[in-house]
Amino acid sequence: MQTHFLLSQNDMPTRWYNAQADLSEPLPPTLHPMTLKPVGPDDLSPIFPMGLILQEVSQERYIDIPQEIQDILRLWRPTPLIRATRLEAALGTPAKIFYKYEGTSPTGSHKPNTSVAQAFYNKAEGITRLATETGAGQWGSALAMACNFFDMECKVYMVKVSYHQKPYRRSVMRLFGASVTASPSEETDSGRAILAQNPDSTGSLGIAISEAVEVALKNEDVKYSLGSVLNHVIMHQTIIGEETLMQLDMAGAEADVVIGCVGGGSNFGGLALPFYRQNVQDGAKTRLVGVEPMACPTMTKGIYAFDYGDTAKMAPVVKMDTLGHDFVPAGIHAGGLRYHGVSPLLAALHHQGHIEAIAYNQIPVFEAAQQFTQTEGIIPAPESAHAIRAAIDEALDAKEKGDARTIVFNLSGHGFLDMGAYDAYLGGELENYAYPEELVQEALSRLPQVEL
Ligand SMILES: *Cc1c(COP(=O)(O)O)cnc(C)c1O
């Protein structure tokens, strides 16, 4: 049986899909963190280049991918769509399971799809250095590679706990020429403020974002780059879903359910949004399922409200599902996906009932990762394993109900640099941990009071 569905390089999509064109109502405005009033392009220009700001608010359905970006994407794209026949057999399910494998990119995840585009648009406007945050290190690695390709400097604030737990991700970034600092750091006002309150702070994405945004605000030739959440980032990732649609066609299959893990929402949105277009344009009924950890249950337990993108309240305020901008993830959680918010685009679609969200405890997620490793031979990133868990449970449900549904999930990255987390799992050190409902309610009082 054919298991690999490969497109030729000439078939790589040459435009991105902007789902903003297909929303039933426009997204709520982005607000200035100080005034809490809607921002214009000029308010965002200290942190982002105009090329990306225009994409952020564009209502065009398709945007052409510049040739220079296409040339780099073709180093690893199109990526394969693979039928997981050995996993299907192990589960004894009549369901068909396909996965889109984004771990074939140079740094091992979907993130270079946007890092290359972001570096390109910054370079085009004369920017010489990009500042960013990274948690597990996947985004930092992807941006380090892109900056290196475009002869730009890259400054990465890495969440302190990961900085110490993931020394090899640090090495990857440094090999590409990036400079990596543990966050919170003494280099910025926001880092120093956190350390003054709590010298032992292990950091969070919200804090690291504050440090990187601060560097961009204080230096004219530096801009800030974000690896997820924003509309332009999700749009750059839609190349995943566009390829998948063509590959399912080759396989003679149609997706009944499309699954992705959700941190900020970019790999899930990238896969799912072209299917959303089919749902609204052609009346298809594909279910779109985002999967998150119980330890950071943004869509399943968070509140749909305006909140700051970062802890120090310097990043723009957007309406999203949020656990509160001062959320700090539990140290016991090993599976990534730790951002306090989620893409406003996905949050809106979730709110309107176009997207489902589910959350899993970490032990069943790692069990799914091991089953996938043992059947399909690929060690998944722990983040991606959330999608695997959901795909397995869909396949088991199909078995119980006796239907042969087609399941497609995003294998957003490989886990070769995540052996610390796998060691903890194998050593029986992982515990299930669910973020308490009370803490979400408490965070409500600290959300910005927005009057529009
Ligand atoms: C960063 C990352 C994620 C989570 O980010 P999204 O923006 O939600 O996609 C998921 N999987 C992998 C492998 C990652 O590196």
Side-chain angles (χ1 to χ4, degrees):
M1 191 194 295
Q2 189 178 353
T3 54
H4 273 58
F5 298 91
L6 303 172
L7 296 165
S8 89
Q9 289 200 310
N10 295 332
D11 293 332
M12 189 183 82
T14 56
R15 51 188 200 169
W16 293 301
Y17 168 55
N18 177 17
Q20 287 190 81
D22 288 319
L23 295 180
S24 52
E25 54 188 272
L27 288 176
T30 297
L31 310 181
H32 193 284
M34 313 279 281
T35 64
L36 298 181
K37 297 292 174 211
V39 293
D42 289 344
D43 294 307
L44 292 174
S45 62
I47 44 180
F48 299 117
M50 205 44 81
L52 294 176
I53 293 170
L54 294 178
Q55 289 184 359
E56 188 63 18
V57 296
S58 170
Q59 302 295 313
E60 289 294 318
R61 184 167 284 112
Y62 296 103
I63 294 181
D64 287 332
I65 306 177
Q67 191 62 46
E68 294 91 326
I69 298 176
Q70 288 188 35
D71 289 343
I72 295 179
L73 294 181
R74 284 202 178 86
L75 290 176
W76 69 94
R77 302 209 74 87
T79 61
L81 180 76
I82 302 171
R83 173 106 182 253
T85 49
R86 294 177 51 84
L87 177 62
E88 289 170 19
L91 297 171
T93 179
K96 293 192 181 93
I97 306 175
F98 292 90
Y99 60 95
K100 180 70 167 162
Y101 189 30
E102 290 293 309
T104 57
S105 84
T107 58
S109 79
H110 64 290
K111 291 202 172 75
N113 297 330
T114 183
S115 70
V116 170
Q118 292 191 41
F120 170 83
Y121 287 106
N122 276 286
K123 175 85 177 189
E125 293 178 29
I127 299 306
T128 58
R129 184 151 54 113
L130 290 179
T132 198
E133 77 293 333
T134 198
Q138 285 274 20
W139 170 241
S141 308
L143 193 66
M145 179 186 85
C147 286
N148 163 66
F149 285 165
F150 287 101
D151 286 323
M152 300 168 79
E153 287 175 47
C154 184
K155 171 82 204 180
V156 183
Y157 290 93
M158 185 171 189
V159 177
K160 193 173 279 173
V161 60
S162 304
Y163 183 90
H164 294 299
Q165 280 174 358
K166 302 205 154 186
Y168 295 142
R169 274 283 166 205
R170 247 154 63 194
S171 312
V172 172
M173 291 182 258
R174 289 188 173 136
L175 263 181
F176 281 117
S179 143
V180 188
T181 301
S183 166
S185 79
E186 294 285 350
E187 291 177 5
T188 64
D189 289 342
S190 15
R192 284 188 292 270
I194 297 281
L195 289 172
Q197 272 174 19
N198 177 9
D200 300 325
S201 169
T202 52
S204 71
L205 279 173
I207 296 168
I209 292 173
S210 297
E211 294 207 84
V213 169
E214 183 180 327
V215 173
L217 287 173
K218 287 184 174 162
N219 298 280
E220 192 113 321
D221 58 340
V222 183
K223 297 267 189 236
Y224 167 69
S225 182
L226 186 60
S228 185
V229 180
L230 299 175
N231 298 333
H232 65 268
V233 181
I234 312 281
M235 184 185 77
H236 298 155
Q237 296 293 355
T238 57
I239 193 166
I240 300 173
E242 298 291 6
E243 285 180 8
T244 303
L245 281 171
M246 290 193 269
Q247 289 165 309
L248 284 171
D249 218 36
M250 290 170 72
E254 276 179 43
D256 295 302
V257 50
V258 166
I259 298 169
C261 66
V262 177
S266 72
N267 87 86
F268 172 56
L271 174 66
L273 288 175
F275 290 87
Y276 165 75
R277 178 186 63 216
Q278 281 201 324
N279 284 353
V280 290
Q281 284 186 359
D282 312 335
K285 294 208 164 48
T286 307
R287 288 169 50 220
L288 311 174
V289 183
V291 192
E292 49 186 27
M294 287 278 200
C296 184
T298 318
M299 293 177 96
T300 48
K301 272 196 197 162
I303 296 148
Y304 187 50
F306 281 97
D307 197 6
Y308 302 95
D310 71 323
T311 305
K313 309 182 188 179
M314 284 188 299
V317 170
V318 291
K319 192 165 185 185
M320 58 183 174
D321 295 320
T322 180
L323 298 170
H325 53 274
D326 45 9
F327 170 80
V328 176
I332 181 75
H333 173 62
L337 309 171
R338 297 179 179 91
Y339 185 59
H340 68 273
V342 72
S343 142
L345 181 56
L346 294 186
L349 291 175
H350 178 222
H351 217 64
Q352 295 163 11
H354 294 291
I355 285 176
E356 302 166 35
I358 53 174
Y360 280 109
N361 269 315
Q362 62 178 345
I363 292 174
V365 165
F366 277 85
E367 285 167 356
Q370 187 168 24
Q371 185 169 26
F372 189 78
T373 302
Q374 293 184 351
T375 50
E376 295 295 317
I378 296 173
I379 299 172
E383 289 87 349
S384 320
H386 290 75
I388 300 175
R389 175 77 265 163
I392 289 176
D393 286 356
E394 275 289 332
L396 292 174
D397 185 61
K399 178 179 177 178
E400 202 176 294
K401 302 202 169 108
D403 70 78
R405 75 190 78 157
T406 297
I407 301 162
V408 179
F409 74 88
N410 201 351
L411 188 60
S412 52
H414 67 64
F416 286 165
L417 292 173
D418 297 290
M419 288 306 137
Y422 280 109
D423 279 351
Y425 163 67
L426 293 170
E429 290 158 33
L430 291 189
E431 286 166 38
N432 287 330
Y433 168 81
Y435 191 64
E437 191 73 51
E438 309 86 78
L439 292 184
V440 183
Q441 293 308 321
E442 247 179 69
L444 250 182
S445 64
R446 296 187 296 273
L447 296 184
Q449 299 303 306
V450 173
E451 291 166 32
L452 287 179

